[in-house]
Amino acid sequence: MKRFALIGKDVGHSFSPAIHTYCYRRLSVNANYGIIDISSKSKILDVIKLLKEGRLDGINITTPYKYDFIKHVDQLNPRVESIGAINCIHNNSGKLIGNNTDWFGFAKSIKNFKDYQSVAILGTGGTVPAMIYYFESRSSCPIHIIGRNQARLEGFKKTNISSHNIDDLNLDLKKCLIINAIPSYVKINWTNLISKLTSTPLYAMDLNYHLKVTEFLNSFDSDVKIKNGLDMLIYQALMSLDIWYEKDLSNSINIQDLKKYIEDK
């Protein structure tokens, strides 16, 4: 049996085990997917040891450790070097290979969002670099990163990317796609914040996925197309599956059946 796990902090509520377990059953794959909740970066080496010893065959990484595992792998996929964050590792004949599947999950989840002229990303966490990678490779529209972590905000600045402190906003972005990457437990006056971003939102996406319509998404008028983060979670998981098994397994999964299974749990 192959063993995989999600690594993060306070991740007992994650849908990832259900997604992977569903896929293993559908594919008749002998595998198990668990959760390893680690309280600090000091525990990362314990996870690396499990991978090196073959007690884990692969892992996904979530908040807040997507930046921290990079220095512990033996080889990075070139895409990770561009993105600067990692959410997938597998053991390939004793060598730990780091990858990023967030960009793919994000790309698949917004494929029907068209004609936006600006992008606002709320938050500075480990998923943000993958979204930036996607937009930089496929779009020339301006990108605005909004958050409180000043060091992270400065790190995102480059051509076509602006950063803004969330407490000092005064923008009017045109035909805007707004993406919330701030955890759902953070209390924010969304109506007030959105009014300082744009008067013409076209699309809104919340990476939080436990509710179909989150408090953030509920702040928009009915003419704004909204979406939560479930599709992104599913598609990044499927790409991880293909990476771990080094074959295209995910095409055999019916996405709508999988979503219904998750939403019914």
Side-chain angles (χ1 to χ4, degrees):
M1 174 185 285
K2 287 188 176 291
R3 294 173 175 83
F4 306 102
L6 174 69
I7 314 299
K9 184 176 181 179
D10 300 327
V11 289
H13 61 286
S14 174
F15 286 0
S16 290
I19 292 170
H20 284 272
T21 299
Y22 175 91
C23 293
Y24 302 156
R25 288 174 181 168
R26 287 291 179 180
L27 297 166
S28 299
V29 168
N30 187 17
N32 179 69
Y33 190 100
I35 286 177
I36 300 177
D37 202 307
I38 62 176
S39 58
S40 71
K41 291 187 286 188
S42 64
K43 303 294 185 181
I44 288 175
L45 286 178
D46 294 337
V47 177
I48 295 296
K49 183 179 180 183
L50 293 175
L51 286 163
K52 289 280 192 182
E53 293 177 351
R55 287 189 280 167
L56 280 174
D57 296 284
I59 61 171
N60 287 129
I61 303 153
T62 189
T63 304
Y65 304 118
K66 291 186 180 184
Y67 297 108
D68 302 306
F69 270 83
I70 289 180
K71 63 185 178 183
H72 297 290
V73 299
D74 301 309
Q75 182 178 328
L76 293 174
N77 178 284
R79 190 178 293 113
V80 172
E81 295 178 355
S82 298
I83 294 172
I86 188 173
N87 78 315
C88 179
I89 298 174
H90 74 293
N91 186 331
N92 185 356
S93 302
K95 180 180 289 188
L96 301 188
I97 313 296
N99 215 313
N100 188 297
T101 66
D102 280 335
W103 74 273
F104 177 77
F106 180 70
K108 296 288 284 187
S109 67
I110 69 162
K111 64 181 180 180
N112 294 324
F113 288 2
K114 312 288 185 183
D115 301 324
Y116 51 86
Q117 295 179 2
S118 58
V119 174
I121 299 174
L122 309 175
T124 58
T127 308
V128 174
M131 292 189 286
I132 292 174
Y133 171 84
Y134 167 81
F135 287 119
E136 287 189 316
S137 61
R138 289 163 176 80
S139 172
S140 60
C141 66
I143 303 167
H144 300 265
I145 314 295
I146 294 96
R148 287 196 176 95
N149 187 319
Q150 199 57 44
R152 291 262 181 90
L153 287 172
E154 290 296 322
F156 289 132
K157 280 185 178 179
K158 61 174 78 170
T159 303
N160 213 42
I161 300 179
S162 305
S163 63
H164 313 270
N165 190 291
I166 198 169
D167 297 316
D168 188 25
L169 277 180
N170 185 23
L171 301 170
D172 187 16
L173 306 179
K174 303 302 181 185
K175 294 186 177 181
C176 189
L177 162 58
I178 306 176
I179 303 148
N180 177 41
I182 297 173
S184 57
Y185 59 78
V186 179
K187 298 302 179 185
I188 291 176
N189 184 330
W190 290 116
T191 302
N192 180 57
L193 177 59
I194 293 163
S195 71
K196 295 179 179 179
L197 277 176
T198 178
S199 58
T200 56
L202 281 185
Y203 306 103
M205 180 178 177
D206 196 334
L207 299 195
N208 296 292
Y209 55 78
H210 285 89
L211 295 175
K212 191 166 186 178
V213 180
T214 63
E215 186 178 345
F216 166 74
L217 295 176
N218 205 36
S219 303
F220 294 90
D221 294 336
S222 58
D223 59 337
V224 177
K225 187 172 182 180
I226 62 173
K227 188 180 189 72
N228 74 357
L230 182 57
D231 280 2
M232 179 175 176
L233 181 73
I234 288 172
Y235 280 109
Q236 66 81 23
L238 293 178
M239 186 178 181
S240 295
L241 179 65
D242 291 345
I243 289 170
W244 292 332
Y245 280 90
E246 299 182 327
K247 62 177 71 173
D248 189 358
L249 297 176
S250 61
N251 278 341
S252 300
I253 300 297
N254 184 303
I255 302 300
Q256 294 309 312
D257 287 349
L258 172 54
K259 286 180 70 173
K260 186 177 186 306
Y261 171 79
I262 298 299
E263 290 168 351
D264 287 347
K265 286 185 72 65

